[in-house]
Each structure stands twice: as C-alpha cells, then as structure tokens.
Amino acid sequence: MKKFIYSIFIILISFSIIKISSTYLSFAYSPISEKSKITKNSSVPSQINDIYSNSDNIVSQKASELYTLPTIITSKSQWCEAINYCIENLYEDITFEIHNFDNNTYDIKNLNLINVSIKAEGSVKSDKKATIKYVFAYKENYILNKAAKNNKYITKLTAEQLKLFNKIKKIASEITNKNMTDFEKEKAIHNYIVLNSSYSKNITDNSYNIRNLIENKTGVCEAYAYTFQMLCTFAGLECDVITGTLNGQNHGWNLIKLDGEYYHVDVTSDDPIPDKKNRILYGFFNLTDNEIAKTHKWNRDDFPKCTASKYNYYVYNNLIVETPEQMRNLVLKGLSDGKTEIYFYVKNFVISGKGDFQFCVNSSRSINSYSLIGNIGSDGEFVFIPSYD
C-alpha cells in the first residue's frame, strides 16, 4: 500500500459536570454507520433520511416517526438512544433529567463518536436526580452530508457551507446524469476525485475536510471518503462511510450499494502517490469483504456484508487474467489498439519480472520501452504503460 498516514476520525469529547466528584469509568459505543447511530441492543430508531430505505437498515423511517425524545432518562439504554437521536437529527443542545444518575453509567468522556463533540454540564441532587445539558458541535463534513441526504437540514448550514454545498451539487450534476447506470455514476465520481485531488503532503486540520478537497484539491482519507459520499448522494446512489484501519493505520473509505448489493470502494487508495496527472487506479473499486480484508480492518458487525463481485472494476470490464497466456493476449490487444495504459488484474499466478513481457518486442505494434505499476512477485492490480516507437 502506498498510503501510510491516514486521518483519525475520532473526535475528543469535552465534558464539564459540576458538583460531581466520583471517579469516571469508561462506557463506549461505536456508531454503526451514517444510516443509524443507535447501539445494537436498542430498538428505538434514529431519524433516517429518504436516501436510505433499504431493508438492511436497523430502523425504518416509519419507526423513526414514532419515536418521542424523552425529557426524563431512567436507564443507560434510554440515554444512549436519546443522545443518538439528537446527533442523527442535528440537535444543537438538549437537557435531560436523569434519575439514579451515577458517573459510571452516564459517562460521556469515552463515547466513541465520529462526527460530533459533546459538552455536558449540570448538577446532581441528593436523591441522585441530575439535570444535565448536552451541547453538540458537529463536523462540517457531517452537516454537509446530512443536508445532501435530506433538504430539511439545509437550514443548519452557514452561508459559507451553503455555498460549498451548492458547488458540490453542481459538480455532481456535471459529471453524472440520469441516463447513466449506477455503476457509471460511481465510476465518474471516483474518477473525478482521483483526477482532481492529491493526497496531502503536509497534513493540517484542514486536510480532513471536504472543503479542502474541493477548493484546494488536496486532503486525506476522511476528506476523500466524505466527498465521495456526498457526490454519490447527489447522484442518487446509496453510499456510507466506514472507519477502520488500513495496514494498521486509522483510515476511512466507503460502502456503496449497487443493484441491492454492497461493495467497498477506497478512493484514497486509488489515487497514486505521488500524484500522477491523468493516472487512475482501480485496485479498490468495489471489493468484497474478503478482498479488502487483506489490507483493511473494520467492525464487520456494524455494516452490511459485501459478497458480490459483479461491479468490481476488473470483473465488470473483463480484465482479470488467470494465466500468463491470458495476460499476453490482453496486453497485445491493448498495444494493437494503441492504448497508452493497459489495465489488468493478475489472479492465480504471479509476475516475476521484466522477462514476462518479452513478447511485446515482437508485437504488431512495437514499443521501445515500458513501465509497470504493480507488485512484482504477487497477484493483484497492474498497469502496463508502453512507450511506442
């Protein structure tokens, strides 16, 4: 893998509980996905926008409409459900009366949140009834994507955010159209980001933002993943963001749904480093769980399973070669067609070195040199780049 420095998606939680002196213990939960942020043992829904109506959702829109946010909290699960509902619906603040309050149960210090930081302040009475106000501060990436999914959240955008929102919406309309298949839309969005972006050499706080990737053409994986998600949403595609690790480093990528089946797509890893003009890779374009698990790790229980291969870039375009002879024929055809870059995916055998392409010397379209992108001695994605006579 080429990218070893990745954005850390976890936001530190700030807290200030007054008149509470007990020792804090850890209580953590992990957000399931952008579709639902309610812990898995709960049955109360968070607000679901109209983009996500698939049966794989933990909750449904109808169920969400039946949920009433409580003002009195009597259990940890009820508290967690209420906090998640507020986050999903972009609440700015909320005050709860919590009965039988204790620091261990209602500790926000170690909440594993991705897109929001929370400050809590309040007091506890002698009967263990606490009045706690929670104040939410959302990341711009999250607010922009919420507004893209549901117009009712557009009012939450600042003037500058609305300007960026409209700019991204315009980009989506320019690179996709209603006559495209979902696969074609996805590829257009993937290619737009790769061709118009470069991975940040000097990482700053701005490197994580959609804004930086769109306006300054540079960013890290968080910016890539949330930009891809937002463009997909505008194009009518169901797309989510996954956080996990890549080769042991914190990383984010996307999950996309095509024809009712899910695929992994990692746009960051398909953007060459150093950046190469007009160079696009497809090694992480629509992978299964097992394929991407060779380099990526995530909590599989939190996301739909990815088992389909139909829309994998190399499968879809019939570019998988399983023998040296198949590779030879594919490369020779590419040379005959005058291609400047010949893509293929090696499976069930390995490329050992330059000698594997000696056949090019006697091809109908002779070349004086070539370069190869890929891992010699292993299978996987390769790009053969000829220099014609």
Side-chain angles (χ1 to χ4, degrees):
M1 289 308 304
K2 295 180 174 64
K3 296 177 175 62
F4 294 97
I5 301 176
Y6 295 91
S7 58
I8 298 175
F9 279 25
I10 306 302
I11 300 178
L12 296 179
I13 307 302
S14 58
F15 67 101
S16 175
I17 305 289
I18 60 175
K19 297 185 179 178
I20 300 176
S21 58
S22 302
T23 302
Y24 278 92
L25 296 180
S26 172
F27 162 58
Y29 69 94
S30 297
I32 292 175
S33 71
E34 293 299 298
K35 290 180 285 187
S36 174
K37 288 188 171 59
I38 291 179
T39 51
K40 289 178 288 182
N41 64 349
S42 65
S43 58
V44 181
S46 54
Q47 184 75 17
I48 303 301
N49 57 71
D50 55 3
I51 293 295
Y52 295 115
S53 57
N54 57 294
S55 60
D56 291 319
N57 259 339
I58 292 178
V59 294
S60 67
Q61 178 69 39
K62 182 177 180 181
S64 176
E65 292 170 352
L66 297 175
Y67 179 64
T68 300
L69 187 65
T71 57
I72 298 176
I73 301 295
T74 59
S75 69
K76 180 171 67 176
S77 61
Q78 186 185 28
W79 173 73
C80 191
E81 292 161 359
I83 292 291
N84 276 292
Y85 181 86
C86 291
I87 294 171
E88 189 68 23
N89 289 277
L90 297 182
Y91 274 57
E92 295 178 5
D93 60 72
I94 189 73
T95 299
F96 295 124
E97 180 180 299
I98 303 176
H99 292 191
N100 296 315
F101 182 90
D102 71 84
N103 295 343
N104 297 342
T105 302
Y106 300 100
D107 180 8
I108 69 165
K109 181 180 179 181
N110 294 308
L111 289 179
N112 185 19
L113 301 173
I114 295 175
N115 293 301
V116 61
S117 61
I118 304 175
K119 183 174 73 173
E121 53 189 14
S123 60
V124 181
K125 298 178 182 178
S126 57
D127 58 1
K128 291 190 176 181
K129 288 183 179 180
T131 301
I132 309 294
K133 180 179 181 180
Y134 297 93
V135 180
F136 304 90
Y138 300 97
K139 294 185 69 173
E140 184 176 73
N141 290 348
Y142 182 64
I143 296 176
L144 286 169
N145 269 285
K146 291 290 291 184
K149 295 173 189 176
N150 195 320
N151 286 336
K152 76 176 185 178
Y153 296 119
I154 291 179
T155 58
K156 298 284 187 179
L157 302 177
T158 65
E160 282 300 309
Q161 288 170 345
L162 182 59
K163 183 179 178 180
L164 178 60
F165 176 91
N166 289 329
K167 183 175 183 178
I168 298 170
K169 188 174 184 179
K170 185 173 185 293
I171 292 171
S173 68
E174 290 172 343
I175 63 177
T176 66
N177 61 70
K178 63 181 180 180
N179 296 320
M180 288 179 166
T181 65
D182 286 350
F183 176 85
E184 290 170 337
K185 291 177 182 178
E186 180 199 7
K187 182 185 173 187
I189 293 167
H190 171 277
N191 291 359
Y192 174 85
I193 293 175
V194 171
L195 292 175
N196 291 277
S197 309
S198 63
Y199 195 81
S200 294
K201 296 179 181 178
N202 301 309
I203 299 176
T204 67
D205 289 344
N206 291 330
S207 300
Y208 303 91
N209 300 333
I210 292 174
R211 179 182 300 280
N212 202 60
L213 198 72
I214 294 296
E215 296 180 350
N216 298 322
K217 312 300 184 184
T218 185
V220 295
C221 60
E222 182 174 356
Y224 277 76
Y226 280 102
T227 301
F228 182 80
Q229 181 190 30
M230 192 170 179
L231 286 168
C232 283
T233 299
F234 281 135
L237 303 177
E238 181 178 324
C239 181
D240 207 350
V241 173
I242 296 183
T243 57
T245 62
L246 169 56
N247 293 329
Q249 302 296 317
N250 289 300
H251 189 54
W253 64 99
N254 296 95
L255 197 74
I256 192 164
K257 187 178 182 181
L258 301 173
D259 287 352
E261 296 180 300
Y262 293 91
Y263 300 83
H264 294 270
V265 54
D266 186 348
V267 186
T268 314
S269 292
D270 281 344
D271 194 0
I273 290 181
D275 198 60
K276 179 72 173 178
K277 186 177 181 180
N278 298 325
R279 177 69 46 77
I280 305 171
L281 300 177
Y282 295 98
F284 289 88
F285 191 97
N286 294 349
L287 304 188
T288 65
D289 285 341
N290 290 340
E291 288 169 338
I292 202 167
K294 295 176 182 177
T295 50
H296 295 55
K297 293 186 182 299
W298 70 101
N299 190 340
R300 294 197 184 196
D301 292 338
D302 287 349
F303 294 91
K305 296 183 184 304
C306 300
T307 58
S309 60
K310 177 181 178 180
Y311 290 111
N312 172 279
Y313 179 83
Y314 288 95
V315 172
Y316 188 84
N317 290 288
N318 195 28
L319 295 174
I320 293 181
V321 294
E322 298 190 61
T323 67
E325 182 65 18
Q326 288 179 357
M327 182 182 71
R328 178 181 182 276
N329 292 337
L330 187 148
V331 171
L332 288 177
K333 184 179 186 308
L335 293 176
S336 178
D337 294 340
K339 290 185 177 181
T340 57
E341 293 187 346
I342 302 170
Y343 288 78
F344 55 93
Y345 191 99
V346 171
K347 188 176 181 181
N348 297 331
F349 74 100
V350 298
I351 295 175
S352 58
K354 186 175 181 179
D356 290 356
F357 295 90
Q358 186 64 30
F359 61 83
C360 295
V361 175
N362 300 317
S363 67
S364 59
R365 182 77 179 272
S366 62
I367 61 175
N368 53 44
S369 63
Y370 72 87
S371 58
L372 189 69
I373 298 175
N375 293 322
I376 298 296
S378 70
D379 59 4
E381 176 187 43
F382 287 85
V383 185
F384 183 87
I385 307 168
S387 176
Y388 295 100
D389 290 333

